[in-house]
Amino acid sequence: MDEENINTSFINLFDCDGWIITKNGKGKIQAAFCEQDETNIYEKTRHWKIQQTDHTKTDSFNLPPSEIGKTARFFLRDILDSDKKDNYFICYDIPYVNVFVCGTVISFFERYRKYSVIIDDGTSSIKCIVQKEILNFKKEFCSSDTNDHHFAEIFKEDKDNTFLQAASITRQATRNLISQVPTFEELELGDFRQHLQRCFRLINCIHTERETKIGVLGVPFDKGQPRVGVANGPDAIRKAGLIEQLASIHRKVNIKDYGNVTYEVNKEIDKHVPNMREYAHIACCNHELSKSVEGIIKEGRICLTLGGDHSIGVGTVDGHIKAKNEEVCVLWVDAHADLNTNKTSASGNVHGMPMALLASELSDYWPYLPGMDWQKPVISIRNVAYIGLRSVDSYERLVIDKLGITAFGMEEIENYGIATVVNMALNKLDPEGKRSIHVSFDIDSLDALEAPSTGIPIRGGLTLREGIHVMESVYKTGRLGAMDLVEVNPSIGTEQDVKRTVDAAIHIILSAFGYSRKGLIPKDAQLPLQTFPPTRQVIQ
Ligand SMILES: NC(=[NH2+])NCCC[C@H](N)C(=O)O
């Protein structure tokens, strides 16, 4: 990659000065920085220069003062859930005194005052040891006439060694990290922009406790498929303690249970639509559902809808779109594509049709549907991605190919791994990180061993871990607008099967709303000291 190339690509990446740090092929740190002089600050063109620096052996805190700033800049990076490609350092031109680094932990308290990020990288016991007093102390220091020399002095004078500890942790982590940073070539510039966007998206939402308002809505509906019991899904999930478990994720989760959707059926409309079983129920229930979802989202909550069979996806997505009044994207996590029309469906079960009812590209393939005038097929199939497919009917396959639908079946998950698949799906759906995301999660996307109590269980599916990973990734975007969890049928299988399925559903839901498998750090909390008796006695 020559310098010219980088110049042009980086212009699009940033609209302010900055550094991008990566390494070259020989394992040395390579920094591209934007050289900007005061006079042309408003000029659009940025000039990026590449600098080679060998920081592999650097003891950053023994550097001459003038080098310290340079070194510190190298540490700012995104580390969350990093696979190889995400391991880059990135730094806007934040003066190093405002960048606080411990290991992979970054806390910058000037520009991003709100986001004091505290994480460890999972590879060792790297912890953030930046304490509040020190941050305050540093802040005062920063406001005075700051220079590198002063900064070096602080390290020396630090009586309780906090900075020294931080320094040694940082060195250790830096070594780890340097070995993982990709080269510019590896980063494929095409993807790079998205990595950066994700980086900032992640930084914005790493928060230990993020305000999360949830509205729970049950839809005890089973008319989209023939098996009894799926209407009891919402109550089985609630009875297993969903609401309590959601509430205990952390203090800032705020839940309101809106109870179950009820509707009146207009049997008249049934006669007119061939090969859509229980059509009247479908139309009437989804109408009420759409209105409820719209209302909940308009109240500022993420709507969590508990199904019911998957035909209710029509109402939930419709309500979501109406509430947002802007483009919404849909992640359909399912073993099935649910893309049949009444013409192509072999079963006539509407739970195999919701995606086809929603997609604007398929509107010509439907007859007039009386009682469905409230629902316009407003979502473009370009805004839909599938994850988990493994039971796709032949016409559905035709549609997927014909319309070029983003579909990650089990094969792709095997080839790329779930982390890459979710990233690809989210980047495709929401490249700018602006859209509200709707996840329609059919429990049958999970392997039949993980979730046996469902109408059409299919082997060879997602593990629960993969399902959780999908939802954790969605949570991290901070853009989840609505989620459906459908097709849990407590009348299928043994008591153990039901428990396993309901448990899986709850795990999936919790991870969508911020439950962290890594644990959550209590915000602003200190490890409580014993006050009396004073401390543990060492017995001589
Ligand atoms: N969400 C579901 N479980 N869908 C199953 C659909 C099965 C089949 N493709 C059908 O159309 O009948």
Side-chain angles (χ1 to χ4, degrees):
M1 170 105 21
D2 57 19
E3 200 174 313
E4 255 326 286
N5 251 334
I6 288 172
N7 275 348
T8 40
S9 311
F10 283 179
I11 289 164
N12 305 323
L13 295 175
F14 295 103
D15 43 5
C16 72
D17 307 357
W19 288 73
I20 294 182
I21 287 108
T22 175
K23 72 175 184 207
N24 67 15
K26 295 172 198 90
K28 297 194 173 167
I29 285 292
Q30 180 173 257
F33 69 99
C34 177
E35 215 181 36
Q36 192 89 63
D37 70 57
E38 304 284 335
T39 52
N40 69 352
I41 195 122
Y42 295 110
E43 217 180 279
K44 270 281 162 231
T45 321
R46 302 279 183 261
H47 192 71
W48 291 89
K49 281 197 170 169
I50 295 184
Q51 244 193 15
Q52 306 281 356
T53 327
D54 182 1
H55 283 269
T56 48
K57 301 183 207 79
T58 304
D59 176 345
S60 53
F61 298 94
N62 286 335
L63 286 174
S66 60
E67 283 289 303
I68 295 174
K70 230 184 265 171
T71 310
R73 285 189 178 99
F74 290 166
F75 296 137
L76 185 57
R77 54 158 258 163
D78 159 44
I79 46 82
L80 274 187
D81 297 336
S82 51
D83 55 25
K84 187 162 167 279
K85 281 207 161 184
D86 285 342
N87 278 321
Y88 47 81
F89 297 165
I90 158 168
C91 182
Y92 270 64
D93 75 330
I94 304 168
Y96 76 91
V97 282
N98 298 341
V99 178
F100 222 95
V101 189
C102 292
T104 53
V105 177
I106 329 283
S107 169
F108 27 3
F109 56 91
E110 274 303 307
R111 190 182 296 209
Y112 298 100
R113 192 182 304 243
K114 280 193 288 192
Y115 310 121
S116 263
V117 182
I118 303 182
I119 339 151
D120 77 47
D121 71 356
T123 58
S124 59
S125 56
I126 294 167
K127 295 277 192 309
C128 179
I129 53 171
V130 179
Q131 287 161 1
K132 233 178 159 189
E133 312 88 75
I134 294 169
L135 282 176
N136 289 338
F137 168 55
K138 249 176 81 72
K139 215 179 315 180
E140 264 166 44
F141 173 75
C142 292
S143 56
S144 73
D145 190 15
T146 309
N147 64 36
D148 292 341
H149 179 67
H150 281 142
F151 193 58
E153 289 299 301
I154 288 187
F155 278 101
K156 278 193 213 131
E157 282 170 16
D158 179 25
K159 299 274 185 314
D160 37 353
N161 264 348
T162 316
F163 279 120
L164 291 179
Q165 280 182 52
S168 87
I169 291 172
T170 304
R171 277 196 297 277
Q172 183 195 336
T174 311
R175 261 175 241 125
N176 290 346
L177 294 178
I178 284 174
S179 64
Q180 295 168 42
V181 203
T183 61
F184 276 124
E185 286 78 1
E186 285 170 320
L187 278 171
E188 298 161 27
L189 274 179
D191 265 348
F192 197 34
R193 180 176 197 156
Q194 285 169 358
H195 285 299
L196 294 181
Q197 283 166 342
R198 199 159 57 236
C199 163
F200 279 100
R201 244 185 280 161
L202 288 176
I203 286 175
N204 290 355
C205 64
I206 297 161
H207 248 300
T208 45
E209 296 180 355
R210 178 159 28 116
E211 171 108 56
T212 310
K213 288 173 88 183
I214 311 170
V216 180
L217 183 63
V219 194
F221 187 78
D222 60 5
K223 301 283 191 280
Q225 51 82 65
R227 304 196 63 168
V228 286
V230 72
N232 297 324
D235 286 339
I237 296 171
R238 282 193 184 100
K239 221 177 269 159
L242 173 74
I243 309 287
E244 296 75 12
Q245 291 189 57
L246 275 171
S248 64
I249 294 178
H250 57 69
R251 290 166 302 171
K252 286 190 159 182
V253 174
N254 170 320
I255 306 167
K256 185 166 168 190
D257 191 341
Y258 288 77
N260 288 343
V261 167
T262 53
Y263 64 96
E264 270 170 34
V265 63
N266 170 4
K267 268 284 174 196
E268 266 309 290
I269 56 181
D270 241 358
K271 303 175 192 132
H272 308 284
V273 187
N275 201 32
M276 285 177 92
R277 291 170 191 270
E278 305 282 7
Y279 171 75
H281 282 274
I282 309 270
C284 299
C285 175
N286 271 301
H287 192 192
E288 287 311 313
L289 172 57
S290 167
K291 287 189 269 185
S292 303
V293 171
E294 181 181 352
I296 292 171
I297 296 175
K298 281 187 171 159
E299 280 177 31
R301 294 177 181 272
I302 304 173
C303 184
L304 168 64
T305 305
L306 308 173
D309 69 64
H310 217 162
S311 64
I312 66 165
V314 179
T316 59
V317 174
D318 184 82
H320 188 172
I321 293 173
K322 284 183 173 140
K324 295 285 178 185
N325 203 16
E326 62 183 22
E327 264 187 299
V328 163
C329 57
V330 176
L331 199 58
W332 200 269
V333 188
D334 201 325
H336 311 93
D338 297 345
L339 259 178
N340 279 304
T341 68
N342 64 331
K343 280 276 186 199
T344 66
S345 170
S347 65
N349 297 327
V350 181
H351 76 155
M353 307 180 189
M355 226 22 270
L357 284 162
L358 287 162
S360 52
E361 286 86 344
L362 293 175
S363 57
D364 289 347
Y365 297 88
W366 287 101
Y368 172 68
L369 296 173
M372 288 284 276
D373 302 295
W374 54 272
Q375 192 260 334
K376 304 251 167 342
V378 280
I379 189 147
S380 164
I381 207 75
R382 277 181 287 110
N383 296 337
V384 178
Y386 286 107
I387 291 183
L389 296 184
R390 60 190 182 281
S391 175
V392 178
D393 301 340
S394 49
Y395 278 109
E396 293 179 312
R397 177 58 204 257
L398 181 72
V399 173
I400 290 174
D401 284 2
K402 211 172 130 118
L403 300 180
I405 301 175
T406 307
F408 297 103
M410 293 312 299
E411 226 175 302
E412 283 70 34
I413 292 166
E414 282 144 23
N415 287 340
Y416 302 114
I418 193 71
T420 308
V421 161
V422 190
N423 282 338
M424 289 195 287
L426 289 173
N427 283 331
K428 179 84 197 303
L429 291 178
D430 190 26
E432 305 284 326
K434 288 187 185 141
R435 290 180 180 157
S436 187
I437 302 174
H438 188 112
V439 179
S440 208
F441 198 107
D442 189 322
I443 201 74
D444 72 24
S445 60
L446 299 186
D447 191 277
L449 296 173
E450 301 269 20
S453 297
T454 185
I456 313 183
I458 296 182
R459 295 287 302 275
L462 300 179
T463 61
L464 177 57
R465 280 166 53 186
E466 287 168 329
I468 288 172
H469 191 100
V470 171
M471 296 319 300
E472 283 178 349
S473 305
V474 171
Y475 171 75
K476 283 178 193 157
T477 67
R479 306 279 310 164
L480 180 65
M483 172 180 183
D484 320 324
L485 193 298
V486 298
E487 298 280 356
V488 170
N489 186 334
S491 303
I492 294 175
T494 63
E495 203 177 307
Q496 247 200 342
D497 290 339
V498 176
K499 185 178 178 320
R500 178 173 305 159
T501 311
V502 170
D503 272 358
I506 291 180
H507 276 291
I508 297 288
I509 294 170
L510 291 178
S511 41
F513 293 100
Y515 177 82
S516 164
R517 290 179 286 177
K518 294 174 181 165
L520 285 175
I521 298 163
K523 194 162 180 248
D524 298 331
Q526 307 275 345
L527 194 58
L529 287 168
Q530 293 296 341
T531 45
F532 183 81
T535 46
R536 223 165 124 195
Q537 301 290 311
V538 181
I539 298 165
Q540 307 282 334

